[in-house]
Amino acid sequence: MRLIAIDLDGTLLSPEMEITKENIEALRKAQSQGNIVMICSGRAPEDIQQILKKYEISCPLAGSNGTVVQVNESVLESISLDRKDIIKIAEKLDEDKVPYRVYTNHGIYVPADWSERVAFAVKKDRIEIEGLPDEVYQRITEQPQKSSLIKYFNKYSELFNEEDLTVQKFFVLTLNSTTKTALSAYLGGISSIVITSSGPLNIEVMDQNGNKGNALKRVAEYYGIPLDNTVAIGDNFNDVPMLELAGLSIAMGNANPLVKEMCDRVTHSNDKNGVAHAIDRYILSE
């Protein structure tokens, strides 16, 4: 039995944000042979659940970069930011007028002035990313729509009005190079948190114990699977903790070059069913 931890964006999801038939078949084949497949993503748990339900996939998941671990729809572990760190982070983001999202146990909270913050960042200095299509840039920067998952707030202090609300992650949109550098330096000075990135236009902030590696370890312990029998598949820096911990690490063909260098294997890109190829070539065949 193996535990296979798979990232979503840039990995299991195609560039069209879909899970292909080939990838679904590979996941089910792995499960049918007694392996445990888990999804480990920077997305909120509720978001991951919607995707899995759409494709009728049943498996454990780790959301918000591994800070929330769920098995059989029950929360196995939840690692939250300390209140004093939340205040430090939010005050700095508001001071710099940076667009950000707060991932909580009550959904995702977004500043009501998100669009104004994006416009401010673009006016200062939009970071040019080679090969980033305009439609992708628009999707990243557009105002998140209110829903059962996404809520607006005017001041971060409003979050503290809900006594049982906990914060697992800050997702920070960084379109300005100067701001990104300064913000990374500031956040790096807070010893109780960790910062990472799932793409060139963002910074993600969690408690120092909240990462995909710890999520992989927690699920492995739950099923009694030795870490030597674990596999991780990913494409970006927020995947590094689980890639480092897993017995076998596999980078996507579209992965960041530094991520590729640290992995044991490299599979096809996410536009060429890289997860399916990895499962068939490197996991089920070995």
Side-chain angles (χ1 to χ4, degrees), residues 67-93:
T67 58
V68 181
V69 179
Q70 295 183 357
V71 177
N72 299 324
E73 299 185 2
S74 297
V75 176
L76 196 64
E77 184 170 63
S78 180
I79 299 174
S80 306
L81 286 158
D82 186 271
R83 178 168 177 151
K84 69 177 187 304
D85 291 333
I86 296 171
I87 294 172
K88 287 181 183 178
I89 296 165
E91 286 184 343
K92 178 61 176 176
L93 296 177

Side-chain angles (χ1 to χ4, degrees), residues 8-9 12-13 17 19 39-55 57 61-65 68 70 101 103-108 139 144-145 147-150 169 171 204:
L8 272 181
D9 294 273
L12 184 59
L13 291 176
M17 310 306 287
I19 303 179
I39 300 302
C40 208
S41 172
R43 291 180 180 240
E46 298 88 345
D47 196 1
I48 300 172
Q49 289 168 348
Q50 290 178 357
I51 294 172
L52 295 180
K53 183 177 181 180
K54 175 182 177 181
Y55 294 97
I57 298 171
L61 66 87
S64 299
N65 279 339
V68 181
Q70 295 183 357
R101 305 181 188 188
Y103 286 58
T104 80
N105 60 327
H106 289 180
I108 300 173
R139 176 172 57 81
Q145 297 299 308
S147 67
S148 59
L149 177 61
I150 297 177
K169 185 183 85 166
F171 173 93
E204 302 189 6

